[in-house]
Short mmCIF file of all heavy atoms in Angstrom, two decimals:
data_model
loop_
_atom_site.label_atom_id
_atom_site.label_comp_id
_atom_site.label_asym_id
_atom_site.label_seq_id
_atom_site.Cartn_x
_atom_site.Cartn_y
_atom_site.Cartn_z
N LEU D 5 -43.23 224.34 178.05
CA LEU D 5 -42.64 222.99 178.11
C LEU D 5 -41.17 223.02 177.49
O LEU D 5 -40.35 222.35 178.03
CB LEU D 5 -43.56 222.03 177.35
CG LEU D 5 -44.83 221.70 178.03
CD1 LEU D 5 -45.68 220.77 177.07
CD2 LEU D 5 -44.60 221.02 179.39
N PHE D 9 -38.15 221.74 179.68
CA PHE D 9 -37.59 220.53 179.18
C PHE D 9 -36.87 220.73 177.88
O PHE D 9 -37.29 220.22 176.90
CB PHE D 9 -38.65 219.45 179.10
CG PHE D 9 -39.41 219.22 180.36
CD1 PHE D 9 -40.70 219.78 180.51
CD2 PHE D 9 -38.93 218.41 181.38
CE1 PHE D 9 -41.46 219.53 181.70
CE2 PHE D 9 -39.67 218.32 182.56
CZ PHE D 9 -40.86 218.79 182.75
N VAL D 16 -48.06 218.22 171.83
CA VAL D 16 -49.28 218.69 172.59
C VAL D 16 -50.45 218.15 171.90
O VAL D 16 -50.64 218.32 170.65
CB VAL D 16 -49.30 220.19 172.53
CG1 VAL D 16 -50.54 220.68 173.33
CG2 VAL D 16 -48.05 220.79 173.29
N SER D 21 -62.52 214.16 173.68
CA SER D 21 -63.52 213.21 173.57
C SER D 21 -63.00 211.90 174.16
O SER D 21 -61.78 211.79 174.44
CB SER D 21 -63.97 212.85 172.18
OG SER D 21 -62.99 212.27 171.44
N SER D 24 -60.69 210.27 171.66
CA SER D 24 -59.34 210.91 171.58
C SER D 24 -58.52 210.59 172.79
O SER D 24 -57.23 210.46 172.68
CB SER D 24 -59.45 212.47 171.28
OG SER D 24 -60.07 213.06 172.38
N VAL D 38 -45.96 212.52 180.67
CA VAL D 38 -47.35 212.96 180.33
C VAL D 38 -47.87 213.88 181.30
O VAL D 38 -47.83 213.71 182.53
CB VAL D 38 -48.24 211.67 180.31
CG1 VAL D 38 -49.68 212.02 179.93
CG2 VAL D 38 -47.70 210.62 179.36
N THR D 41 -54.33 217.94 182.27
CA THR D 41 -54.82 219.05 183.05
C THR D 41 -56.27 219.30 182.95
O THR D 41 -56.88 219.13 181.88
CB THR D 41 -54.02 220.37 182.71
OG1 THR D 41 -54.53 221.42 183.46
CG2 THR D 41 -54.21 220.80 181.29
N ASP D 43 -59.45 221.66 185.31
CA ASP D 43 -59.98 222.13 186.63
C ASP D 43 -60.97 221.03 187.20
O ASP D 43 -61.46 220.27 186.45
CB ASP D 43 -60.86 223.46 186.45
CG ASP D 43 -60.05 224.63 185.97
OD1 ASP D 43 -58.79 224.54 186.14
OD2 ASP D 43 -60.65 225.54 185.61
N TYR D 51 -71.82 229.90 188.05
CA TYR D 51 -71.63 228.67 187.19
C TYR D 51 -72.95 227.83 187.15
O TYR D 51 -72.99 226.77 186.61
CB TYR D 51 -70.52 227.83 187.75
CG TYR D 51 -69.16 228.53 187.85
CD1 TYR D 51 -68.63 228.90 189.11
CD2 TYR D 51 -68.49 228.88 186.75
CE1 TYR D 51 -67.47 229.59 189.18
CE2 TYR D 51 -67.30 229.54 186.83
CZ TYR D 51 -66.80 229.87 188.05
OH TYR D 51 -65.60 230.49 188.12
N LYS D 68 -64.75 217.97 201.46
CA LYS D 68 -64.98 216.80 202.33
C LYS D 68 -65.92 215.84 201.77
O LYS D 68 -65.90 214.59 202.06
CB LYS D 68 -65.46 217.29 203.66
CG LYS D 68 -64.34 218.07 204.46
CD LYS D 68 -64.86 218.50 205.78
CE LYS D 68 -63.83 219.21 206.59
NZ LYS D 68 -64.26 219.73 207.82
N LYS D 72 -64.49 214.02 197.17
CA LYS D 72 -63.65 213.10 197.87
C LYS D 72 -63.56 211.71 197.06
O LYS D 72 -62.50 211.24 196.83
CB LYS D 72 -64.21 212.76 199.25
CG LYS D 72 -63.25 211.91 200.05
CD LYS D 72 -63.77 211.79 201.51
CE LYS D 72 -62.83 210.89 202.30
NZ LYS D 72 -63.19 210.79 203.69
N VAL D 86 -63.73 207.25 187.12
CA VAL D 86 -63.76 208.68 186.89
C VAL D 86 -64.70 209.00 185.80
O VAL D 86 -65.48 209.99 185.84
CB VAL D 86 -62.31 209.18 186.63
CG1 VAL D 86 -62.32 210.60 185.99
CG2 VAL D 86 -61.54 209.12 187.93
N ILE D 92 -72.21 211.09 185.35
CA ILE D 92 -73.36 211.31 186.23
C ILE D 92 -73.43 212.77 186.75
O ILE D 92 -74.44 213.37 186.79
CB ILE D 92 -73.25 210.37 187.48
CG1 ILE D 92 -73.44 208.96 187.10
CG2 ILE D 92 -74.18 210.78 188.61
CD1 ILE D 92 -73.09 207.86 188.14
N TYR D 101 -61.47 214.67 179.73
CA TYR D 101 -60.95 213.80 178.78
C TYR D 101 -59.45 213.65 178.94
O TYR D 101 -58.93 212.56 178.81
CB TYR D 101 -61.34 214.07 177.40
CG TYR D 101 -62.83 214.17 177.20
CD1 TYR D 101 -63.48 215.26 176.82
CD2 TYR D 101 -63.62 213.02 177.43
CE1 TYR D 101 -64.96 215.29 176.68
CE2 TYR D 101 -65.04 213.00 177.34
CZ TYR D 101 -65.58 214.20 176.95
OH TYR D 101 -66.98 214.20 176.81
N LEU D 107 -55.18 208.82 183.14
CA LEU D 107 -55.39 207.63 184.03
C LEU D 107 -55.25 206.34 183.17
O LEU D 107 -54.81 205.31 183.77
CB LEU D 107 -56.77 207.70 184.65
CG LEU D 107 -56.90 208.79 185.75
CD1 LEU D 107 -58.35 208.91 186.23
CD2 LEU D 107 -55.98 208.62 186.85
N ALA D 110 -51.62 205.88 182.99
CA ALA D 110 -51.07 205.43 184.30
C ALA D 110 -51.41 203.96 184.55
O ALA D 110 -50.57 203.17 185.01
CB ALA D 110 -51.61 206.29 185.33
N ARG D 111 -52.62 203.54 184.27
CA ARG D 111 -53.00 202.16 184.38
C ARG D 111 -52.27 201.16 183.51
O ARG D 111 -51.80 200.17 183.97
CB ARG D 111 -54.53 202.01 184.20
CG ARG D 111 -54.97 200.58 184.42
CD ARG D 111 -56.54 200.42 184.28
NE ARG D 111 -56.93 200.57 182.94
CZ ARG D 111 -58.15 200.59 182.49
NH1 ARG D 111 -59.13 200.55 183.42
NH2 ARG D 111 -58.47 200.81 181.25
N MET D 115 -49.14 201.94 187.22
CA MET D 115 -48.93 202.98 188.27
C MET D 115 -50.14 202.94 189.23
O MET D 115 -50.80 203.95 189.47
CB MET D 115 -48.78 204.35 187.64
CG MET D 115 -47.52 204.43 186.81
SD MET D 115 -47.33 206.06 186.15
CE MET D 115 -45.77 205.94 185.40
N ASP D 124 -50.45 215.95 195.48
CA ASP D 124 -49.51 216.91 195.85
C ASP D 124 -50.11 218.08 196.65
O ASP D 124 -49.60 218.56 197.62
CB ASP D 124 -48.75 217.53 194.64
CG ASP D 124 -48.00 216.45 193.88
OD1 ASP D 124 -47.26 215.69 194.53
OD2 ASP D 124 -48.08 216.39 192.66
N SER D 129 -60.31 228.30 194.53
CA SER D 129 -60.07 229.70 194.26
C SER D 129 -60.48 230.69 195.36
O SER D 129 -60.16 231.80 195.32
CB SER D 129 -60.79 230.11 192.91
OG SER D 129 -62.17 229.85 193.00
N LYS D 135 -62.96 237.25 198.74
CA LYS D 135 -64.05 238.08 198.83
C LYS D 135 -65.27 237.37 198.28
O LYS D 135 -66.46 237.65 198.57
CB LYS D 135 -63.90 239.37 198.14
CG LYS D 135 -62.88 240.27 198.89
CD LYS D 135 -62.75 241.61 198.23
CE LYS D 135 -61.78 242.50 199.03
NZ LYS D 135 -61.56 243.76 198.36
N ASN D 139 -68.73 231.64 194.81
CA ASN D 139 -68.31 231.10 193.48
C ASN D 139 -66.88 230.70 193.55
O ASN D 139 -66.04 231.51 193.98
CB ASN D 139 -68.49 232.20 192.46
CG ASN D 139 -69.90 232.64 192.26
OD1 ASN D 139 -70.71 232.03 191.78
ND2 ASN D 139 -70.19 233.90 192.76
N VAL D 141 -63.74 227.64 192.06
CA VAL D 141 -63.30 226.50 191.31
C VAL D 141 -62.30 225.70 192.10
O VAL D 141 -61.49 226.32 192.86
CB VAL D 141 -62.55 226.89 189.98
CG1 VAL D 141 -62.04 225.75 189.19
CG2 VAL D 141 -63.36 227.81 189.19
#
Side-chain angles (χ1 to χ4, degrees):
L5 290 175
F9 304 101
V16 177
S21 69
S24 64
V38 180
T41 180
D43 292 345
Y51 304 110
K68 292 179 181 176
K72 185 175 183 176
V86 166
I92 293 167
Y101 304 118
L107 293 174
R111 183 176 67 186
M115 294 181 176
D124 296 314
S129 59
K135 289 182 181 179
N139 298 287
V141 179

